């Protein structure tokens, strides 16, 4: 069974940083592209970033480019998202998801990031 | 980044058929087709179909997807109370090298 478990969210002040993690199991993580997608309270889905299977290719939404960094540790079956210079508009549930044919298929339960002073 | 266009809401009666639409352009839906996701309140999204009408294992045949030009559609037949949810389309934008989502359609079962 595919399982994705996010962690690392919390309350952070504007300008602060967090490192989100996503522990993967039940599939071959080392050959899977992965995504981060976020959802602000009461809003729709917003794609944030993706990374290829060996971590050599990444891309980001314009809204987070230069502030967020996606990475992975295939030895630990874990995906990361380093989020820096946080703003109020970054407040959201952050989901990790596995890629299937260039779209996210299996999703974790998400981790909530709240940016507030 | 440009997104895909979905109607904000659709209302249909029990056991009726609903067709949800998703409009993009030749760089995204017109080129790659679309995926459809269902999200119930308080839960993560669930993939219903990808690349137009490929259903993952366990997804009911009542959900079928198609595409015509730059518009993708999701048809849900025999509507049930549990189909009340938000539905999102998603695709790959070749120009942006990024995933794009529609704004979502809230389906209400009357």
């Amino acid at each position: 069974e595919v399982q994705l478990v996010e962690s690392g969210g919390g309350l952070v002040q504007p300008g602060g940083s967090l490192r989100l993690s996503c522990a993967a199991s039940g599939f071959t993580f080392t050959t899977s592209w992965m995504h981060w997608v976020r959802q602000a309270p009461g809003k729709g889905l917003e794609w944030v970033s993706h990374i290829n299977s060996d971590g050599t290719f990444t891309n980001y939404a314009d809204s987070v480019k230069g502030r967020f960094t996606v990475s992975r540790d295939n030895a630990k079956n874990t995906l990361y998202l380093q989020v820096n210079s946080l703003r109020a508009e970054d407040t959201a549930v952050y989901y990790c998801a596995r890629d299937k044919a260039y779209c996210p298929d299996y999703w974790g339960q998400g981790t909530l990031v709240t940016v507030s002073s | 980044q440009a997104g895909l266009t979905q109607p904000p809401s659709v209302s249909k009666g029990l056991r009726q058929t609903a067709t949800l639409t998703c409009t993009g352009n030749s760089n995204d839906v017109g080129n790659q087709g679309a995926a459809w996701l269902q999200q119930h309140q308080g839960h993560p999204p669930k993939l219903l179909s990808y690349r137009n009408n490929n259903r993952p294992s366990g997804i009911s045949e009542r959900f079928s997807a198609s595409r015509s030009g730059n518009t993708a559609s999701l048809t849900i037949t025999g509507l049930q109370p549990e189909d009340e949810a938000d539905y999102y389309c998603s695709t790959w934008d070749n120009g942006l090298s990024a995933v794009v989502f529609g704004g979502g359609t809230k389906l209400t079962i009357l």
Side-chain angles (χ1 to χ4, degrees):
Chain A
E1 178 194 4
V2 173
Q3 283 203 324
L4 297 165
V5 180
E6 301 93 337
S7 61
L11 175 63
V12 61
Q13 292 188 340
S17 298
L18 285 172
R19 189 195 199 197
L20 309 183
S21 299
C22 170
S25 61
F27 65 101
T28 309
F29 181 76
T30 55
T31 61
S32 297
W33 284 52
M34 298 293 296
H35 299 273
W36 285 100
V37 179
R38 69 183 180 183
Q39 187 170 34
K43 301 295 185 182
L45 302 172
E46 180 187 14
W47 175 80
V48 172
S49 177
H50 65 234
I51 185 169
N52 69 347
S53 57
D54 64 5
T56 56
F57 174 79
T58 60
N59 199 15
Y60 302 89
D62 288 344
S63 57
V64 307
K65 206 168 286 186
R67 301 187 298 124
F68 289 13
T69 303
V70 62
S71 61
R72 64 192 296 160
D73 185 336
N74 282 350
K76 295 182 178 179
N77 279 7
T78 302
L79 176 73
Y80 302 101
L81 186 69
Q82 178 69 40
V83 297
N84 298 331
S85 303
L86 283 164
R87 308 165 180 166
E89 54 266 33
D90 295 319
T91 294
V93 174
Y94 285 73
Y95 295 103
C96 69
R98 187 184 70 170
D99 178 85
K100 186 171 187 72
Y102 296 114
C103 82
D105 66 344
Y106 281 96
W107 299 59
Q109 291 298 313
T111 186
L112 176 62
V113 172
T114 303
V115 184
S116 174
S117 55
Chain B
Q1 273 146 329
L4 309 176
T5 301
Q6 298 183 251
S9 63
V10 169
S11 297
K12 287 288 184 179
L14 203 57
R15 294 180 294 277
Q16 289 188 332
T17 295
T19 298
L20 312 182
T21 60
C22 168
T23 303
N25 58 46
S26 58
N27 275 331
D28 45 53
V29 174
N31 187 278
Q32 298 288 337
W36 288 91
L37 304 115
Q38 177 192 60
Q39 186 180 32
H40 288 107
Q41 182 73 24
H43 291 270
K46 179 170 79 171
L47 184 69
L48 297 176
S49 77
Y50 61 98
R51 287 291 178 109
N52 295 327
N53 198 24
N54 292 286
R55 271 190 306 271
S57 172
I59 300 300
S60 169
E61 292 181 355
R62 295 191 299 108
F63 296 91
S64 64
S66 61
R67 181 190 65 168
S68 177
N70 296 335
T71 298
S73 300
L74 176 71
T75 298
I76 313 170
T77 59
L79 286 169
Q80 300 297 309
E82 60 266 29
D83 297 331
E84 186 162 291
D86 294 321
Y87 291 82
Y88 295 91
C89 60
S90 167
T91 191
W92 177 260
D93 187 309
N94 276 330
L96 299 173
S97 292
V99 172
V100 290
F101 287 101
T105 295
K106 182 175 182 61
L107 175 63
T108 301
I109 310 299
L110 301 173

